[in-house]
Amino acid sequence: MSDKQHRSACALIRNLCSNYDRSTGGCLLLDRGEIVQCPQMITQSLVCRFFRDVLLEDRDGRALKAEIMGDVNPEVVARMAKNGILPGAKQGQAWIFRRDDLEKYINSLFEGVKSVEQ
């Protein structure tokens, strides 16, 4: 995850995560009597299952998911959606994508490509 993607992920967590404690920056799900820093906020990897399974599936997180999974620029993703290359819908200022459509598009890129045996 790039620095920009990490900042977007942190903003998504601060705004939408029901497990994020704004007063401490901790994760309520991991809290067992002492404050545990949100692991997703302090790493640039996809470590939090709730972040992956819920927040990235939220309409506000889908463009970020497309960026992270495809490691592409958000402007490229938006341009691809605008030109009909990548199925998506515009909601306000943001593009939203269905997980199945993203997976189909990514899989289509590998059609006819042979795997390299190690």
Side-chain angles (χ1 to χ4, degrees):
M1 187 182 315
S2 70
D3 287 338
K4 183 180 178 196
Q5 292 167 343
H6 183 249
R7 287 190 301 275
S8 296
C10 290
L12 194 64
I13 292 166
R14 282 191 295 273
N15 293 327
L16 295 178
C17 185
S18 59
N19 297 314
Y20 181 70
D21 183 355
R22 292 177 186 266
S23 63
T24 64
C27 177
L28 299 173
L29 194 62
L30 299 175
D31 188 342
R32 301 286 186 258
E34 58 185 55
I35 298 169
V36 177
Q37 192 69 26
C38 171
Q40 191 61 59
M41 297 275 281
I42 58 175
T43 183
Q44 290 187 316
S45 299
L46 293 174
V47 295
C48 177
R49 175 177 270 165
F50 186 82
F51 179 77
R52 284 191 321 261
D53 295 348
V54 177
L55 297 183
L56 287 181
E57 298 303 323
D58 184 82
R59 67 179 176 87
D60 294 331
R62 288 184 186 149
L64 177 60
K65 180 179 181 178
E67 282 180 57
I68 293 169
M69 299 305 187
D71 199 24
V72 295
N73 187 305
E75 288 83 20
V76 172
V77 173
R79 191 174 336 116
M80 290 171 70
K82 183 178 178 182
N83 293 329
I85 297 168
L86 182 64
K90 191 153 187 182
Q91 187 170 34
Q93 297 282 334
W95 281 94
I96 58 174
F97 305 94
R98 283 187 242 167
R99 176 177 43 194
D100 293 344
D101 290 338
L102 290 172
E103 289 174 359
K104 284 178 190 173
Y105 175 75
I106 291 169
N107 289 336
S108 75
L109 297 175
F110 292 96
E111 288 177 3
V113 175
K114 294 183 180 184
S115 298
V116 177
E117 303 264 339
Q118 293 188 13

